[in-house]
Amino acid sequence: MSIVTPLNALLGIRVPVVQGGMQWVGVPQLVAAVSNAGGLGVLTALTQPSPDALRTAIRETRKLTDKPFGVNITLLPSINPPDYEGYARAAVEEGVKVFETAGNNPGPLIKFFKSKGCIVIHKCTAIRHAKSAEKLGVDVLSIDGFECAGHPGEDDIGGLVLMARAAKELKIPFIASGGIADSRGIAAALALGAIGVNMGTRFMCTVESPIHQNIKDKIVASTERDTVHIFRTLRNTARVFKNKVSMEVVAIEAKGNAKFDDIKDLVSGARGRLVYEKGDPDAGIWSAGITIGLINDIPTCDELLKRFEREVAEIIQGLSKVAVVPKAKL
């Protein structure tokens, strides 16, 4: 039994599940596995050191799957920003048709992608931002709740409320992002008006995920209480795994008047990459959503998506047992 929503036809996928763009994680082996399993795998552009390296990653992914996949480009606050335009051009020239965008001032990127006939999914953490993205012509919005890994924005609004508002106020379709890692979460998102879901942390903990087995085991052993927010005082909040390094960052920020220079060595991307490569969960900062409390195994992507299809159908069918009883006449 399949889960069919408008997202299936739009993206050419069997299961309305998108693998979110994740730094150091969204690489060809995982992307192809998700796409082969029926979802939409997404390469993370900035994991690659240059636009030419992204071209190579796209070609490697094509060798592993003949199914659709996308590319994520996240616009990050930076003194020396990456060559976003170069990454975008390289992906389009390599024939990529689906893009996930996120971050501030996405207008020029969105305009470029739409001029090339591409489909754009834009991630937002607030309805006001979603409405702005609507005006820019994106095809689908990814509504990202406070539960998510990475950057949840500064409003601290959970997905339950964000999705309910999105269903009422947005004119274009949306998918649910943040806080979803199991079949009940998917069914709930569909009930709230989403046409699909975006998952990051759940796909980190799959057989094909490129991260070290120790980190996958750590995710399985953890609960929803094992994440923490950093950069709160810098107004650039990020949800990461609660470890020695992240708690040191929190302690520095708690003293007041912290500057990025005070913590930059602790939060460097190089240290975070070592977590995934060496398997030491305390080597640096690494992203994790509170969905780690819902993850109890390490399946293949194919096993995971087939499980979602079966269980979501069972949950939706089970709702038919909820009777709507007319009020008794007085």
Side-chain angles (χ1 to χ4, degrees), residues 255-273:
K255 294 176 182 176
N257 300 315
K259 303 291 190 296
F260 184 71
D261 282 349
D262 300 328
I263 56 178
K264 66 179 181 180
D265 293 334
L266 292 169
V267 303
S268 74
R271 288 188 63 169
R273 187 173 188 174

Side-chain angles (χ1 to χ4, degrees), residues 228-265:
V228 68
H229 283 119
I230 60 173
F231 303 156
R232 291 291 263 175
T233 62
L234 303 178
R235 302 290 293 170
N236 189 30
T237 300
R239 187 186 295 279
V240 298
F241 189 78
K242 186 187 293 183
N243 63 9
K244 293 176 182 177
V245 183
S246 59
M247 294 311 294
E248 187 174 347
V249 173
V250 169
I252 292 171
E253 289 193 72
K255 294 176 182 176
N257 300 315
K259 303 291 190 296
F260 184 71
D261 282 349
D262 300 328
I263 56 178
K264 66 179 181 180
D265 293 334

Side-chain angles (χ1 to χ4, degrees), residues 8-55:
N8 299 51
L10 179 67
L11 301 182
I13 56 179
R14 195 187 78 248
V15 189
V17 173
V18 176
Q19 166 245 312
M22 296 173 281
Q23 186 72 340
W24 316 127
V25 183
V27 297
Q29 70 187 67
L30 176 61
V31 173
V34 174
S35 290
N36 284 333
L40 184 79
V42 177
L43 280 172
T44 307
L46 299 188
T47 290
Q48 304 302 324
S50 68
D52 281 342
L54 177 59
R55 288 182 188 275

Side-chain angles (χ1 to χ4, degrees), residues 89-103:
R89 191 184 311 109
V92 168
E93 289 174 357
E94 290 297 320
V96 175
K97 291 297 184 184
V98 181
F99 289 88
E100 179 188 59
T101 57

Side-chain angles (χ1 to χ4, degrees), residues 2-294:
S2 299
I3 314 163
V4 180
T5 78
L7 193 68
N8 299 51
L10 179 67
L11 301 182
I13 56 179
R14 195 187 78 248
V15 189
V17 173
V18 176
Q19 166 245 312
M22 296 173 281
Q23 186 72 340
W24 316 127
V25 183
V27 297
Q29 70 187 67
L30 176 61
V31 173
V34 174
S35 290
N36 284 333
L40 184 79
V42 177
L43 280 172
T44 307
L46 299 188
T47 290
Q48 304 302 324
S50 68
D52 281 342
L54 177 59
R55 288 182 188 275
T56 300
I58 291 169
R59 293 171 188 175
E60 288 177 1
T61 306
R62 284 231 169 81
K63 291 177 183 177
L64 299 172
T65 184
D66 59 358
K67 300 293 192 297
F69 62 90
V71 167
N72 164 281
I73 299 182
T74 298
L75 300 157
L76 303 170
S78 175
I79 297 172
N80 299 303
D83 181 9
Y84 296 120
E85 184 180 337
Y87 282 106
R89 191 184 311 109
V92 168
E93 289 174 357
E94 290 297 320
V96 175
K97 291 297 184 184
V98 181
F99 289 88
E100 179 188 59
T101 57
N104 296 325
N105 192 28
L109 267 188
I110 292 169
K111 183 178 180 180
F112 171 71
F113 291 139
K114 294 310 299 176
S115 74
K116 300 298 182 180
C118 299
I119 294 167
V120 179
I121 302 170
H122 185 67
K123 185 174 286 189
C124 301
T125 60
I127 299 302
R128 63 185 184 280
H129 298 154
K131 289 182 176 180
S132 296
E134 261 188 337
K135 294 175 183 176
L136 292 171
V138 305
D139 300 275
V140 179
L141 290 155
S142 182
I143 301 300
D144 208 12
F146 188 59
E147 303 91 339
C148 71
H151 296 280
E154 305 303 318
D155 293 343
D156 299 3
I157 307 299
L160 202 64
V161 170
L162 282 178
M163 283 189 279
R165 280 200 61 196
K168 288 182 179 180
E169 300 182 39
L170 299 181
K171 298 180 178 67
I172 64 173
F174 71 93
I175 62 175
S177 182
I180 300 166
D182 65 4
S183 299
R184 291 193 180 281
I186 297 173
L190 296 176
L192 281 161
I195 63 168
V197 299
N198 178 299
M199 293 184 181
T201 305
R202 174 65 269 196
F203 282 116
M204 288 173 65
C205 205
T206 56
V207 170
E208 297 91 349
S209 167
I211 68 177
H212 197 284
Q213 185 66 35
N214 288 353
I215 304 305
K216 297 179 188 181
D217 293 339
K218 190 71 173 177
I219 291 172
V220 169
S222 298
T223 76
E224 65 275 13
R225 299 179 65 208
D226 290 320
T227 73
V228 68
H229 283 119
I230 60 173
F231 303 156
R232 291 291 263 175
T233 62
L234 303 178
R235 302 290 293 170
N236 189 30
T237 300
R239 187 186 295 279
V240 298
F241 189 78
K242 186 187 293 183
N243 63 9
K244 293 176 182 177
V245 183
S246 59
M247 294 311 294
E248 187 174 347
V249 173
V250 169
I252 292 171
E253 289 193 72
K255 294 176 182 176
N257 300 315
K259 303 291 190 296
F260 184 71
D261 282 349
D262 300 328
I263 56 178
K264 66 179 181 180
D265 293 334
L266 292 169
V267 303
S268 74
R271 288 188 63 169
R273 187 173 188 174
L274 282 177
V275 171
Y276 298 146
E277 291 179 352
K278 303 298 184 183
D280 178 1
D282 288 313
I285 296 293
W286 53 286
S287 292
I290 59 174
T291 56
I292 57 176
L294 299 172

